Amino acid sequence: MKFVIAIIQDYDADRLLRAIAERGLQATKISSTGGFLRMGNATILMGLENERVREAIAIVQQHCRSRVEVQLDAASPEYVEWLPGGVHDVMVGGGVVFTVPVERMARFAGGKDVT
Ligand code: 2BA
């Protein structure tokens, strides 16, 4: 089993979650914040069988394609103050995906392991 962690833009999250559910996969969305821009993004967590990992990553790729350039020079001075110097613009959007092995998954109900 694997755990797929996809960090995406918040505006892509609903479409992605719908596509994941349509394929019979399960996901959890966490509202997160990028460490560099400190803008809200979304982290989608998916536990799945090894043979479905490629499919899951393809769904993320398909639904989180847009990347836009953010011009930091155009941002307000207070905002730019937070950021490392010398960076003028960055591309945001699309997705960043990590795949990690899962040692064990358990699902509990009524005090019983119903995995
Ligand atoms: P942020 O950290 O807010 O980064 C937003 C975008 O800013 C990044 O897009 C990248 O284009 C740029 N950027 C980030 N760090 C930079 C730096 N030190 N110098 C210049 N430009 C920089 P993405 O690479 O697509 O990342 C989107 C979001 O995915 C990130 O938001 C962060 O929340 C997450 N992320 C990306 N790589 C990660 C990693 N290795 N570990 C954990 N989270 C990661």
Side-chain angles (χ1 to χ4, degrees):
M1 191 171 197
K2 295 281 192 293
F3 202 50
V4 172
I5 303 162
I7 303 167
I8 64 166
Q9 293 306 296
D10 209 30
Y11 51 71
D12 287 327
D14 279 342
R15 257 176 337 130
L16 175 60
L17 289 172
R18 203 173 316 128
I20 289 169
E22 275 167 10
R23 303 286 190 99
L25 293 169
Q26 294 199 44
T28 296
K29 176 190 158 192
I30 298 177
S31 296
S32 45
T33 303
F36 185 68
L37 292 180
R38 270 86 114 200
M39 280 165 54
N41 54 27
T43 299
I44 307 295
L45 310 175
M46 284 175 276
L48 31 82
E49 299 308 321
N50 290 348
E51 53 273 19
R52 300 204 70 182
V53 169
R54 265 174 193 276
E55 178 188 353
I57 294 173
I59 300 171
V60 175
Q61 189 175 2
Q62 194 183 344
H63 290 85
C64 307
R65 275 190 300 201
S66 52
R67 265 178 96 73
V68 295
E69 189 171 324
V70 174
Q71 301 229 300
L72 300 181
D73 290 338
S76 71
E78 310 87 71
Y79 180 70
V80 171
E81 245 172 48
W82 289 10
L83 299 165
V87 181
H88 303 290
D89 47 55
V90 296
M91 296 295 286
V92 295
V96 176
V97 180
F98 301 89
T99 304
V100 297
V102 172
E103 197 176 303
R104 177 170 178 242
M105 178 201 161
R107 179 177 278 116
F108 298 110
K112 290 189 180 138
D113 186 340
V114 295
T115 314

